[in-house]
């Protein structure tokens, strides 16, 4: 490509529309490459023409660029086809969850109109566990209820809202569970959202499940119960 760069630097060629167009933006595509090669042949010195071997090498470069472009186009088409198939499978899978209870990564909870204290949250605790505190937050992130859960072991755990839900209006809230070990260090916690799927809707981000007032992304599901 050094010869092409040398030609581009020649003042007689800088006035050429082909060269000017090829150099716009500093990016050279396959068409620009061909224009540069044609311009190089057109403006070469008749007394010192380009050697055949050198010309063949540049043609080989052009052929390689063309093949790479074609491979890239084939890859993009295949990727689009795979994505469409994956989306179709996800959509079909979403429909199959209607009527089932799902567990997904998330921190939303819905307080029912009755027996709010008996509603439960599910969370995963790392290490050997520790002493836990459940906190309920409103839509603005303000604490509206909490209760100590005592010691919880490692692994998946469930806990009733109990008096943390006392006086709260029915609706959707978020929650956190803080766990500390014997030394007072924080223990990793993963919170989950659960509910019985009653509908499916579609967005630009894919299928979304509805469970009462909760919205659950299909990609966040970790468990699907039986009907």
């Amino acid at each position: 490509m050094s010869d092409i760069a040398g030609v581009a630097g020649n003042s007689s060629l800088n006035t050429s529309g082909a060269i000017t167009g090829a150099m716009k933006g500093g990016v050279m595509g396959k068409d620009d490459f061909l224009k540069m090669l044609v311009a190089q042949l057109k403006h070469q010195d008749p007394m010192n023409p380009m050697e055949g071997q050198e010309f063949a090498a540049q043609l080989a470069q052009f052929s390689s660029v063309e093949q790479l472009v074609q491979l890239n186009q084939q890859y993009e088409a295949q990727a689009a086809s795979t994505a469409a198939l994956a989306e179709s499978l996800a959509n079909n899978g979403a429909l199959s969850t209607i009527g089932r209870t799902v567990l997904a990564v998330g921190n939303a909870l819905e307080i029912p109109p009755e027996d709010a204290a008996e509603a439960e949250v599910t969370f995963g605790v790392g290490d050997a566990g520790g002493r836990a505190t459940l906190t309920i937050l409103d839509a603005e992130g303000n604490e509206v209820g909490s209760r100590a859960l005592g010691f919880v072991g490692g692994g998946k755990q469930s806990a009733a809202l109990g008096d943390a839900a006392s006086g709260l209006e029915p609706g959707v809230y978020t929650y956190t569970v803080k766990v500390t070990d014997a030394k007072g260090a924080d223990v990793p916690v993963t919170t989950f959202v659960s509910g019985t799927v009653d509908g499916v809707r579609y967005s630009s981000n894919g299928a979304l499940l509805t469970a009462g007032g909760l919205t659950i992304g299909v990609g966040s599901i970790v468990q699907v119960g039986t009907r």
Side-chain angles (χ1 to χ4, degrees):
M1 298 299 291
S2 59
D3 292 300
I4 292 182
V7 173
N10 188 297
S11 59
S12 65
L13 293 186
N14 285 335
T15 58
S16 169
I19 301 300
T20 302
M23 299 303 291
K24 285 183 178 179
V27 178
M28 182 181 293
K30 63 173 185 176
D31 292 336
D32 297 327
F33 183 92
L34 184 58
K35 290 178 182 178
M36 290 283 285
L37 188 59
V38 171
Q40 185 175 6
L41 291 173
K42 181 178 179 181
H43 295 278
Q44 66 180 329
D45 184 353
M47 302 302 294
N48 185 26
M50 182 189 304
E51 294 182 4
Q53 185 177 5
E54 181 181 0
F55 179 64
Q58 293 193 5
L59 285 178
Q61 288 179 337
F62 174 74
S63 178
S64 297
V65 170
E66 178 70 13
Q67 290 175 9
L68 288 174
V69 170
Q70 291 177 354
L71 286 174
N72 186 58
Q73 291 173 341
Q74 293 174 3
Y75 172 78
E76 291 177 349
Q78 182 178 8
S81 177
T82 301
L85 177 59
E87 183 177 359
S88 177
L89 292 174
N91 291 342
N92 290 335
L95 291 173
S96 71
T97 64
I98 293 179
R100 299 185 179 187
T101 299
V102 298
L103 184 70
V105 176
N107 66 339
L109 68 90
E110 184 171 24
I111 294 181
E114 299 177 356
D115 301 323
E118 297 179 10
E120 293 187 341
V121 292
T122 301
F123 52 95
V125 181
D127 302 330
R131 302 193 67 81
T133 301
L134 166 67
T135 301
I136 300 177
L137 310 171
D138 63 15
E140 285 72 43
N142 301 312
E143 180 180 328
V144 292
S146 68
R147 82 176 186 92
L149 302 179
F151 181 86
V152 296
K156 189 168 70 172
Q157 307 290 341
S158 294
L161 300 183
D163 56 11
S166 179
L168 297 182
E169 294 292 327
V172 177
Y173 296 78
T174 59
Y175 76 98
T176 63
V177 176
K178 182 178 177 62
V179 180
T180 55
D181 61 19
K183 296 181 180 179
D186 289 341
V187 175
V189 175
T190 301
T191 56
F192 298 98
V193 55
S194 64
T196 301
V197 179
D198 53 29
V200 178
R201 62 185 177 86
Y202 301 94
S203 71
S204 58
N205 295 322
L208 298 174
L209 310 180
T210 58
L214 301 172
T215 299
I216 302 171
V218 172
S220 65
I221 294 176
V222 296
Q223 181 179 317
V224 179
T226 58
R227 284 191 173 88

